[in-house]
Structures are given as structure tokens and as C-alpha cells.
Amino acid sequence: MAHLLTMNGLLQLVAYFLILAIFYIPIGNYMANVFSGKNTVLSPIFKPIEKSIYNLLSINPEKGMNWREYAITLLAFSFAGFVLLYLILLFQGLLPFNPQKFAGLSPHLAFNTAVSFITNTNWQSYGGESTLSYFSQMAGLCTQNFVSAAVGLSVLIALIRGLRGVETSDIGNFWADVTRANLYILLPLSLIVAILLGLSGVIQNFQNYLEITTLEGAKQTIAMGPVASQEAIKMLGTNGGGFFNVNSAHPFENPTPISNFIEVVSILLIPVALCQTYGVMVNDKKQGLAIIAAMVLIFAPLLIFCVTQEQAGNHVLTTLNIDQSVNSLQAGGNMEGKETRFGIVNSALWASATTAASNGSVNAMHDSFTPLGGLVPMVLMMFGEVVFGGVGSGLYGMLHFVIMTVFIAGLMVGRTPEYLGKKIQSYEMKMASLAVLVPSLFVLIGVSIALMTKAGQAGIFNNGAQGFSEVLYAFTSAANNNGSAFAGLGANSPFYNTLLGVCMLAGRYWIIIPTLALAGSLAGKKHIPISAGTLPTHTPLFVGILIGVIILVGVLTYAPSLALGPVVEHLHMIKE
Amino acid sequence: MNEGIKSNSLFDGADIKEAIMLSLKRLAPQYQLRNPVMFLVFVGSVVTTLIFIAMLLDKNSIAGGGEPIWFVGAVTFWLWFTLIFANFAEAIAEGRGKAQAGSLKAARRDVSAKKINHPDEFENFTMVSANTLRKGDLVLIEAGDFVPSDGQVIQGIASVDESAVTGESAPVIRESGGDRDALTGGTRVLSDWVVMKVTSDPGESFLDKMIGLVESAKRQKTPNEIALSILLAMLSIVFLLVCITLLPFSLFSVEKAGAGSVITITVLVALMVCLIPTTIGGLLSAIGISGMQRLIKANVIATSGRAVEAAGDVNVLLLDKTGTITFGNRQAAAFYPAPNVSDQMLASAARLASIADETPEGRSIVVLAQKLFNLSPIDVKSLNATFIPFSAEQRISGIVINDRHIMKGAGDAIAKVVTIKGGNVPEAITKKIEEIARQGGTPLCVAEEDAILGVVHLKDIVKPDIKARLADLRKMGIKSVMITGDNPLTAAAIASEAGVDDFIAEATPETKLKYIRKMQEGGELVAMVGDGTNDAPALAQSDVAVAMNSGTQAAKEAGNMVDLDSDPTKLIEIVEIGKQLLMTRGALTTFSISNDLAKYFAIIPAAFATTYPALNSLNIMGLTSPQSAILSAVIFNALIIIALVPLALKGVKYRAESASNMLRRNVFIYGLGGIIVPFIGIKIIDILLTSVGLA
């Protein structure tokens, strides 16, 4: 194993976790202050803007909503966003900033893309540079990159208010939450990251595509565009929808190891810091630490497993006596589908981080990973996108697992289970079960439909287990709102665009609504004081059980699918 | 009470034959529908049965999918047995509960009452059970008798010990006419006699309600059981879907791999039954019923299952001082002589004054005096003395013996008599009286003629084991609060001696109610024990309210449990039973879900062995053949239900310890154990199947 994880690789991983750890407290506390309505360093700049937004839209940020109002407002807001984006994409040809004169998208592709971006999934059935105008990218997609992330944050904050509230129906004001999330958190962070990316070579312009003649004399079109600005929020908002088709493997989106590092840090920055925000807002930082500990303890071993699997190289090539070892001349390992400027470690790190968080951007092709290396991103999504997960959505998804764990563990200590002083009863169990189990239903049913229909089979390019893995990956990615693709699946068809769109909607709103209902129910409850008989939820023991529950639920749901996909593929490969 | 039931066997009075019959009868679909997990098993069993029949008619029937007929038959057989085993567990639990409740009913001895027909003919009474008394009946109650129910004095006057109800040790006077004519059931007449008119009917039989709680058909699911059922149902839906979607997955894989055969319906059903949480699903109702049954065994009758569950959650326990924390009756602890009086003189005088006093206080004075000064017992009759019994009017009692007139009584009462006779009260005595009162004791003065001899210190004696029990409660996170009618000083002294966390002194029904409300507003769940009518509002407000069987009807109606032994410390046991109930559910749920891992390792390689032979490397248990692997998993799944019946009936062992320790132990046993046990069990069954040639 030692030769599979080089010192260089290890240092990069350590540096990665170190940076995230450094930002954990300051950014976490900052976000807690923002959502508590307290003054922050940026208040002098943004407070007046915030106020004028409220005035303009006649919003009273102090006016609380009950969970139904909150949910209806959120759904209406998302639906309006969907309609706007759908129309922009459909009528792209008539709109400005379209130097390449791209026509409007087909209705099913526009549907799929609009759903994909409002649900923070960013599954892309299209190639950005060959399909979308600058206007569609900026006014359409980029807007939703901000807004969908803000919606995720606001749902999380509403849930936290539910946990904090005592016999109230008030879980906060949706408009205020969304405004603050955008104004104080996403905008400033994106600005900083965009500038850093620009400095490291990511392009930002409105030029026409360049037509050049290569050294061989061939004609080549080089796509241009306002990339850096979109790249920043794409990473920070766990969106992942690339400006270009190959996403962050493209040299203009991600030119250097430095830009790669900035981007991969941006993926986990907010989801990680939100654990601190959570701890601060529930007045018990240890609760946040327990959750981040559970996340890291699931993520780190899988990440290292992925790195070593990829570094071990392709077994088929090994049997042909091809040298895949690390040495001064080559990175070694399985470099198929990976960028040489990133190498094994940064490709595996990205693949793990982007699927742990529901980001879904890629800097290497997951389809070309070794079967077990490719299993890691798939498994991380199958855990329900709760290991870091999407901005806001990851943590509220995780809290559903926490509630499930509290229920089972709480029974074992002989009390009606309670979490943070709130009794967990049948209503909470109903909501948590829905949120945890529904996405997997959509994955399993979706895959079955795809495998059993002509339209579905038409998109499967590879045979046998690999083909199965591709379909499984696509539905897992969509229903868990990740958005990364395994490639190798022809997904731009009315069939896949529609079915995956439905999965994305279910994976987003079928969790948001139970989450808000849970928030409402928790807010209405009394707060039970902690005693020696209360199950502590910040201890290593609880973290261990939480990890066990997440893994067990994921594995038990997907074991047969994984066996028929990556596992059998791996077994076949090593037998050859 | 109820000494007859002491069998410790698993079946504990349940009729096995009846239980078996019941398990078969309950295979009916309308009964199975009550439990979604077991209903899925039922549907699966029907499906495989149909396949088996189809194969009997035509060996190569397409329904069999190429499986050998013996295999389909064996799977079907064991699936039905999975259902029967689950039904059996429930039937046994029910049988035990009913047997216990029945014998309880028979063995229950009630307070008896002297029923009379006319207020003046009280010499002509008939002894009847208190339970048979109806509103308007007349009863005679003489010194030493318990008041059989709530009522009104219509004739006579008596001093009554209401300490069991009010917590006040001092007797009170009850007489006909005026506002002191109410008698409370469960109190005891100490002197004189009264005729009482019964004012309330005994309530509906609590036992009948309780029997309803152990009958699965009538039983309402408790809130926590519902929450758990939701989780189990959702898990079952997911596993059902996992199995259903395996069919298309398999079809696709076979087509693309160009090898093997599609997974058969029989195997899919087997996989589904193995994966859905049948262990906990099958035992859930048995666990709930046995919780109730354990309660009956402790001689406690609950009116709802909800209350038992709530008992496990209690975090504040209101305990009456009298009877729970202290022995109820004050006992002599020390003699404090007046100046110029010797210890022995005082003790001997106090003994004489108490020799005819049958109250526990009086007896304790005699005992203490004899113990301290080695006095030999006196034959009362040989004394040739006149006794002055305690009278409610003078509040003193005493003895006249050879012209010696010795009195004992409360400080002020004695002082009054002594002053009339021309004596005075020494300052040392006044001080002592105050000091004893400050320490929480009751000072009792002894005087001879016009001279005060000294003070006897009567003390509430804290029960020896109560401190340890309260400490156990604290470990479980339960705060104990003592309720007493005493003044705050006395209360504080006893509270610190017994180690309670808090106390309510000079408690009135209003202060109790207020305290409970305040606690509940803070989110606490409050349990209390009560027996008096004045406890009723507080009982009604409490989340868990245990009424003493000796208590009044009003108290019983307000409470949600009745303790037949009228033992106030029973509350602690009830809390433990409540906790045990939840723990057993949690432990078996964890065990059930953890089991699935091993079942996957048995079934997946077996199910896809023909399509992808490479998957056989997942057969880490080295099971002989695909058929034996699947059959072993199914058999294990059925047998584990039967194997866990004793645990479900007895409940997971409960110890007073912190939540963390308890969790660590249970996760280790049922979580880790749940992962490991099936690997071993399935392997053993596979070996057995192979050895009999079924592989």
C-alpha cells in the first residue's frame, strides 16, 4: 500500500484537509451570524442592499412562516425559477449574447437542464460550449447556481430553527433566508474564488469562439466565454455544471494544479463549515463536530481506497507487463481518462469530493476509473449525498440519518428517543424515513425502467456489467442530486432527459418537503432538559453508530446492484 | 398478594397447545394485514406455494424458472413456518399475560368491610369485600379497621390515621355532621368507631382493562410502537423494491453476459423475506404484550400501554415522604429528661404512659425504653392501672397507676395541663422541643402530675434501602422529589438524609399541581404516586400516575396505573419495566437489520452464480450450493424468531446505568452480535443440509 500512496500524494491530501479545517470555524461562525440576523464584517456593505431588496419586494424579514408557508413559498420560488430557465433555454436563439448563434434547446433537453439546475443537481445532457449561449450560461444557469444553493441553505436553516424552537410554528422567513444566503455568503465567496481562479489562468471574456489553424494545418474552434465567474459558484454552490462539456478537465476551466486545488477546496468549503454553523446555532458546537467527524470518517477511508485503486493501475495492463508504477518519469497508475496535469491523487480526490458533496463536476472521467476506484464515487452518492453533500442539503440529509440513528439507539437506552431535547416520535420517523429511503426507490425503479425499455437500452453503449454500471450511476447521480456522469451513456434522448429529470425533482423536493415538515413538527415540541438518561449525541460511540447506520442503509439498499455492476466487473478483470 | 404466581418457566402459565392452535388460526390474511412486515412474508408464502403447486402439476412449469421442485417446496415450507413462529411468539406472550391476569383476579384479596343494614343496628354486621360495596351502603368501621372506600360519617366520632393519604402522621378527627365527616378509602380508624355511608361505586374493573392490553386483537399500538412500525414498513418497502428490481437487473445481465439463467421468483421471494426485518416484525407484538405482562407480574395494573411507555421516559419522580421514603410512622429515637430527672426515670415513665398505647408511636416508645435501659417487659393486666386513651379533644393520653398520673402528648397540650395543675415548663424543655422540631422530629412531652419529666424525640425513620434506590434513579437521569406535609425545616432534614434531589414541604393539592405543571412546562415528564382524593388533580396532571389500590376511587380514576400492593416504591419498578420495553424493541431492531449483511453474502452469489460465476468469490461462508445457501438463509431467518422468543418475553436485561454505558453494551451485543451470529448460523444450517443430502 505504501507504494500506492506516495508521500507527495499524502501531503496533498493532508494539505487539503488542513485548509478545510482552517476555514471550518471562521466560515462556520460567519454563516451562523448571517442566518441569526447578527451583524457581520460585511454588514456595512450589504445591509443597505439587503434592506432595499426587502423594501423593493415588500418583504418583512422578521415575519416568521410556519412550515407549510415556508414550503409553499419555496416551491413557488423554485417553480418560477424553472419556468424562467426553461423559457431562456427554449428561446435561446432569440436572446442576446449568443456569438455562436446557437439555436434554442429541444423541449426535453430544456426541461432536463432546467430541472437539473433548479435542483442543484447540474446533470448535463448537453455540451456547454456547443449548445449554450453566454446569455443562457450567465442569466440562466449561473442564476440558478446561486439560487438553488441558497434554497438548500435556507431549508437547512429552517430545520435548525425547528430544532431550536420551543412550542412555536415559526421556522423563519424564506425570503430573508434566501436573500441572506446569496448576499452575504455565496456572492462574496464566489467573488474571491473567481478572482483567484482568474489569477491562475481561468478565462473570463465575451469573445466569439476562436477559429485557429493548428500546426498540422487543421481548423480548430476554441471556445471562449465568461468562465471564471461561473466556475466559482459552480464549485462553491455544489452545483458542478461545467461551462464546457468536459467540465473541470477543460484547460480553460481548470488550467493548473493551483486552480485545481482552489476548485477542489471550494467543493467542500461550505458543506464542511456548515457543521460549525449548525453547532453554533443549536448552542452546542460538539453536535457539529460529531457530524463532521462522521462525515470525515466515512469520506477519508473511501478517498484513500480510491487513490490506491487508481494508483494500482489497470489490471489488464499489468498482466501485459506494462509498467504502471510511480517513478520520476511517470505518475503511474490508471491514467486513462485523467489529465496529466492533475495525476492520480488529484483526480481521485476530485472524484471523491465531488460525489461526497453533491457537486458533480469532474476533472477526470469516472467511467475510465478502475471498477473499484469507480465504485467509490458511486457509493458516496448512494449514501444519499449526506457525507458533506450539497450546500445545505447535505447537512439536512445527514440530520435525517441522525434522527434515524437517534431513534434506534435511543430505544436501546430505554427512552422515547430524543435529539437535542426534542422527542422523536412517529411523525418524525415518517419524515426521516421518507427523506432517507425515497431517493433509493427512484434509483432502483429508474434503472429498471431504463434496462427494460428499448429507449433506455438504446443509450447504453457498453456491454454487460459496465453498461449496467453506467445506467446505475446515472440514476444514482440524478436521484441524489449529484449531477456527475459516468460517461458512456447517451443520455440526451427524450427518454433519459425526462426520466432523469423526474428523478432529480424527486430527489430534491421529496426531501425538502419532509425536511420542512420535520422542522415544523420539531418546532412545535417542548424542549426536554438533558439528564443522565438522555442519549448523548456527540460522543464517539454515537458517531460510530451514525456511521454504521449510513453505511448499512446504503449497502443494504444497493448491495445487489453493486454486485451486478462494479463488483462483478472487478472480479472479471482480475480473473482475466 | 398474588403469591401463587411464581413460575419462572418461559411459558409461565400459557397453554402451549392453545398457542399452537392460535398460531395456525392467525395465518388468516385479515390477521396478517395488521403487521405490514409479516404481511409481506404472507404474500411471499402464497406466491411460492402457487409456484410449488404449478410445479406439482407440471414439473417443468415456467413458474419454477428451472429450480428443482424440492427446493421450491422447502423454501415454501420454511416461509410458512416463519409466519407460524411469529404468530406463536405472540400467542405465547398473550397466553402468559392472560394466565397471569386471571390468577391475579382470583388471588386478589380485597379489604373487607363490615356491612350493616341500619345505622343503629351496628352489632349485626356482615363481612363483605370492599369491591362489592355500592353507593349508599352502610358500613361500620371500628378501631384498627381500614376505611373500605370513600364515604361520609353518619354516626360516631373517631380519630383516623390519614398518613397513607395525606402524608401527615398526626391522626385527624372525623365525626358526623359538620365539615369533618368525609372519610377516605385506604385510611385507618385508630380509635373509637363510626358508621359510614359509602359515596362512590367501585370503578370499572381495572383488571378487565388490563386483560385487554395483553390481547393482541384488542390491543392498541403504543406511540413508540407506531413510530417503530413506520421505520420497519419503510425498510420493508425498500427491500421489496430491491428484490423486485433485481428481476430486470438479472434479465439485463443475463442478456448482456449471454450466460446463466434469470433469477427465479422463488429466490426473489426468499431474498425479500430474509431482508425485510422479520425478526423484529415478528416479535414486535410479543414484546409489547410481555411488557404489560411483566407489569401484571409486579402487581401493577395499567389502563393504557401508552402509560407504560411513558414510564420509561419519566425524568421527575414525585414520591410521598410517608411510606415511600420513611416508614410512615414516627418512632421514638431518644429521651431528653428535664433538669433533675434521670434518663431512666423519664424512660420508665414514658414506657408506662405508652404501655397501653397501640399506635406505632406508642409501641416504639416502649421498645426504645426497654432496649436502652434493659427494662423487663411488664404485664399490662398485672399493673392494675387505669388507662387514659388518647382523646381527640385533649390530645394527650396516659395512665393512672397507684395514684401516679403519667401523661404524654404534644408539647403545648402537656404544658396546658401542667400549668393548670400549678407546675411550670422548664426553659430547657422548651428549647429541646424547638430543637427537635427543627431537626424534623416530633417532640412528645412526658409529665407526671404537675412536673414535666422530659421529651421523647419521635423521628421519621428513613427506609434503609431508599438512598441506594434514589441513587440508581439519579444514574438513570431521574430526579426524585419528596412531597410532604411537614414544614420546610423538617422536610429539608429528611430530604438530605434520604438523598432526594428536591422536596415540596407543606404540600397541598395546589402546590403539588403547581409543581407538576412547572416541571412539565420545562419539558419534564412527571410520575407520581398517590392515594388520596386530594391527590387526584395532581395524579391527573402527571404523565405517569400510579394510584394505590388502598387509595380512594377518585385517585384510582385519576391515575393511569393501579398498584395492587399499595407499595409506593413500586414506581421505580414501573419505570424499569417501561425502559426495558423500549430497550427490547431497540435491541431486536438492531439485531434484525444487522442480520441482513450475512444474508446478502449467502444469497447474492447464489442468486447470480449462473450469470456471473465470478461472484462466487463473495461466497465467503463457503456454502455448498446455491440452493443450500438460499435455503440456509431462509431457515436461519425463521429459526431466529423462535430463538429470540425468550428474549422478547423476558425483555433485555436492564441495569441502572448511564445512557452511554447502556448503549455501548447493547450496540456491542445486538449490533455486532447481529452481524456475526447469522454468518455462523447460516453456515451451520448449510452443513446440516449438506449432511442430509439436501444440497
Side-chain angles (χ1 to χ4, degrees), chain A residues 21 94 134 142 184 193 215 220 235 246 292 302 326 344 359 364 391 401 424 432 463 477 494:
Chain A
L94 310 173
Y134 295 160
C142 198
Y184 289 89
V193 171
L215 290 175
Q220 189 180 359
M235 306 316 293
V246 293
I292 192 74
L302 282 170
V326 195
I344 298 290
N359 188 289
V391 167
F401 271 102
I424 305 304
N463 253 334
S477 173

Side-chain angles (χ1 to χ4, degrees), chain B residues 17 42 95 104 108 180 193 198 275 278 288 291 355 374 404 451 460-461 467 483 502-503 513 583 609 647 655 670:
Chain B
K17 219 187 263 167
F42 177 80
L104 195 60
R108 185 176 165 201
R180 293 197 297 177
W193 57 267
V198 176
L275 292 180
T278 48
I355 204 122
N374 278 324
R404 281 180 78 191
D460 253 341
I461 305 291
K467 199 160 186 172
I483 307 176
D502 195 4
F503 63 85
L513 196 61
M583 279 169 64
L647 185 70
R655 287 177 221 180
Y670 299 99

Side-chain angles (χ1 to χ4, degrees), chain A residues 298 381-387 394-408 419 429 432-433 435-437 439-440 480 518 542 545-554 557:
Chain A
I298 295 176
M381 290 189 291
M382 285 170 174
F383 289 157
E385 287 299 0
V386 298
V387 177
L395 189 49
Y396 65 68
M398 180 58 122
L399 288 172
H400 286 292
F401 271 102
V402 169
I403 281 173
M404 222 176 212
T405 309
V406 161
F407 185 77
I408 297 172
Y419 181 56
M429 274 324 284
S433 302
V436 167
L437 302 174
S440 40
N480 288 294
L518 181 69
F542 184 81
I545 302 174
L546 175 61
I547 293 172
V549 168
I550 294 170
I551 293 179
L552 209 61
V553 168
T557 311

Side-chain angles (χ1 to χ4, degrees), chain A residues 411-412 414 416 448 533 536 556, chain B residues 245 313 476 579 583 600 660 666:
Chain A
L411 282 183
M412 281 198 283
T416 302
S448 300
L556 292 182
Chain B
T245 53
D313 296 348
M476 289 151 54
K579 284 189 178 290
M583 279 169 64
Y600 264 137
S660 295
N666 286 332

Side-chain angles (χ1 to χ4, degrees), chain B residues 344-358:
Chain B
Q344 189 154 357
M345 248 171 88
L346 169 64
S348 134
R351 180 171 73 140
L352 278 175
S354 312
I355 204 122
D357 183 353
E358 281 304 309

Side-chain angles (χ1 to χ4, degrees), chain B residues 349-394:
Chain B
R351 180 171 73 140
L352 278 175
S354 312
I355 204 122
D357 183 353
E358 281 304 309
T359 62
E361 286 89 349
R363 258 178 279 146
S364 77
I365 292 174
V366 175
V367 169
L368 184 71
Q370 290 177 353
K371 199 178 93 189
L372 285 181
F373 302 101
N374 278 324
L375 305 174
S376 51
I378 313 173
D379 180 15
V380 183
K381 284 186 184 129
S382 71
L383 277 178
N384 194 16
T386 320
F387 299 107
I388 309 159
F390 178 83
S391 80
E393 209 174 304
Q394 288 210 298

